[in-house]
């Protein structure tokens, strides 16, 4: 049943370092069977007696048919939870819930797609690229990070993409600068029809602004902290303009994480805009 999340105990198949990041492949057939590009999983951390109660959310990087179905996710160590995950080894078990969220919408007809990734946010773009190419779409990549070791998937992008443009803020790989510095040129050269992007919020805001200038849609997968991943805790809300023009505070974990970029009020992320539905002084009902 595509898209319906399940909770499973998965066995770690492999662990690897990818430059500055860690990648874990977990045997989880029920999650793999339901996966669509853009989905994510949440993972319990710390073991059965831990005080770290909240799960950690990670975009799914890859799905393979091995051992009935495996999923791989990529992460950076940022605290005790991800440090615990980085210490996992083959044959350890993990508690996973997935696939979660709303996946990337796919074009009905073949078109030209630019895929933009920031740091390990690009991990979710490669299975998307596979699906797009099977549908006859052209795929161009733009990947960036602060430094070379934080650009994820550069070699794979070069193998898959019609073109691949790399940027780093320190100039250690590709062009010096940010993805938004080169995106307009890539869109123009490729005559792109749509942009798909995943990465930090500031990057997504810039990507969306470029796409608005070109009059093409930006499908963005937002990076928001998620404590539950299933829409209960409300820690991941973002202000989004709905089809009726009304701003609503929506949950990135269930209503997203993929949104049409021009509808996300990036400047107001982290706040409740005064004119949002239900906000003091805003719209009601």
């Amino acid at each position: 049943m595509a898209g319906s999340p399940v909770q499973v105990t998965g066995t770690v198949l492999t662990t690897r370092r990818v430059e500055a990041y860690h990648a874990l492949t977990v045997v989880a057939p029920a999650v793999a069977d339901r996966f669509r590009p853009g989905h994510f999983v949440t993972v319990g951390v710390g073991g059965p007696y831990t005080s770290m109660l909240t799960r950690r959310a990670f975009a799914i990087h890859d799905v393979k048919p091995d051992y009935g179905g495996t999923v791989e996710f990529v992460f950076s160590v940022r605290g005790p939870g991800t440090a615990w995950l980085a210490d996992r080894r083959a044959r350890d078990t993990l508690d996973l819930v997935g696939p979660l969220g709303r996946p990337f919408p796919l074009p009905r007809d073949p078109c030209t797609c630019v895929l933009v990734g920031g740091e390990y946010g690009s991990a979710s773009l490669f299975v998307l690229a596979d699906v797009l190419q099977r549908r006859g779409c052209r795929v161009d990549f733009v990947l960036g990070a602060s430094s070379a070791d934080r650009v994820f998937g550069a070699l794979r992008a070069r193998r898959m993409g019609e073109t691949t443009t790399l940027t780093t803020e320190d100039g250690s790989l590709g062009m010096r600068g940010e993805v938004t510095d080169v995106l307009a040129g890539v869109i123009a050269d490729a005559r792109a029809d749509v942009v798909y992007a995943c990465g930090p919020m500031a990057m997504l805001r810039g990507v969306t602004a470029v796409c608005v200038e070109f009059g093409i849609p930006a499908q963005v997968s937002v990076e928001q902290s998620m404590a539950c991943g299933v829409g209960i805790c409300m820690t991941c809300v973002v202000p989004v303009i709905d089809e009726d023009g009304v701003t609503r505070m929506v949950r990135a974990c269930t209503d997203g994480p993929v949104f049409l970029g021009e509808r996300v009020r990036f400047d107001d992320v982290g706040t409740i805009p005064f004119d949002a539905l239900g906000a003091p002084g805003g719209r009601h009902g």
Side-chain angles (χ1 to χ4, degrees):
M1 226 170 96
S4 300
V6 292
Q7 183 172 8
V8 300
T9 299
T11 301
V12 176
L13 183 63
T14 61
T15 67
R16 61 192 178 103
R17 286 295 302 268
V18 187
E19 298 290 349
Y21 306 117
H22 298 262
L24 287 181
T25 300
V26 183
V27 179
V31 177
D33 287 346
R34 293 163 168 80
F35 169 76
R36 298 290 181 271
H39 277 148
F40 68 95
V41 293
T42 59
V43 184
V45 297
Y49 305 109
T50 183
S51 61
M52 293 184 285
L53 300 181
T54 58
R55 307 174 73 86
R56 304 301 191 268
F58 305 103
I60 296 175
H61 168 235
D62 215 350
V63 169
K64 293 182 179 177
D66 310 9
Y67 300 93
T70 65
V71 297
E72 183 178 69
F73 58 90
V74 178
F75 63 96
S76 177
V77 173
R78 293 184 173 178
T82 46
W84 180 87
L85 274 176
D87 286 337
R88 297 310 92 199
R89 296 295 177 260
R91 295 187 293 277
D92 287 345
T93 58
L94 291 176
D95 184 290
L96 272 70
V97 175
L100 294 166
R102 188 173 71 90
F104 287 110
L106 301 174
R108 293 188 181 91
D109 302 308
C111 64
T112 298
C113 309
V114 175
L115 276 54
V116 185
E119 301 198 348
Y120 67 95
S122 57
S124 64
L125 299 177
F126 295 101
V127 283
L128 171 64
D130 281 333
V131 172
L132 291 172
Q133 289 177 330
R134 289 200 297 269
R135 288 174 170 241
C137 294
R138 167 177 165 156
V139 171
D140 296 79
F141 283 96
V142 181
L143 307 181
S146 57
S147 57
D149 64 328
R150 305 197 74 82
V151 177
F152 182 84
L155 291 178
R156 189 173 180 185
R158 283 170 169 157
R159 289 196 300 266
M160 296 180 69
E162 187 75 20
T163 67
T164 296
T165 305
L166 306 176
T167 70
T168 48
E169 293 174 23
D170 66 0
S172 55
L173 180 66
M175 302 180 65
R176 182 185 294 272
E178 301 178 350
V179 294
T180 47
D181 297 329
V182 300
L183 181 58
V186 174
I187 290 173
D189 291 344
R191 298 183 179 179
D193 300 299
V194 60
V195 168
Y196 294 91
C198 184
M201 284 297 218
M203 185 204 87
L204 299 181
R205 176 176 55 189
V207 167
T208 297
V210 174
C211 291
V212 168
E213 289 182 9
F214 279 87
I216 63 174
Q219 297 290 346
V220 301
S221 180
V222 301
E223 290 188 354
Q224 280 290 91
S225 296
M226 300 177 187
C228 75
V230 293
I232 296 172
C233 70
M234 304 296 285
T235 60
C236 65
V237 293
V238 291
V240 174
I241 303 169
D242 214 336
E243 293 181 1
D244 59 5
V246 176
T247 295
R248 290 176 169 84
M249 302 302 297
V250 303
R251 297 164 295 184
C253 65
T254 54
D255 300 298
V258 178
F259 296 101
L260 187 62
E262 64 190 51
R263 291 188 178 165
V264 180
R265 292 176 57 167
F266 287 106
D267 291 339
D268 295 315
V269 169
T271 71
I272 300 176
F274 78 94
D275 57 342
L277 183 68
R283 298 172 182 261
H284 297 275

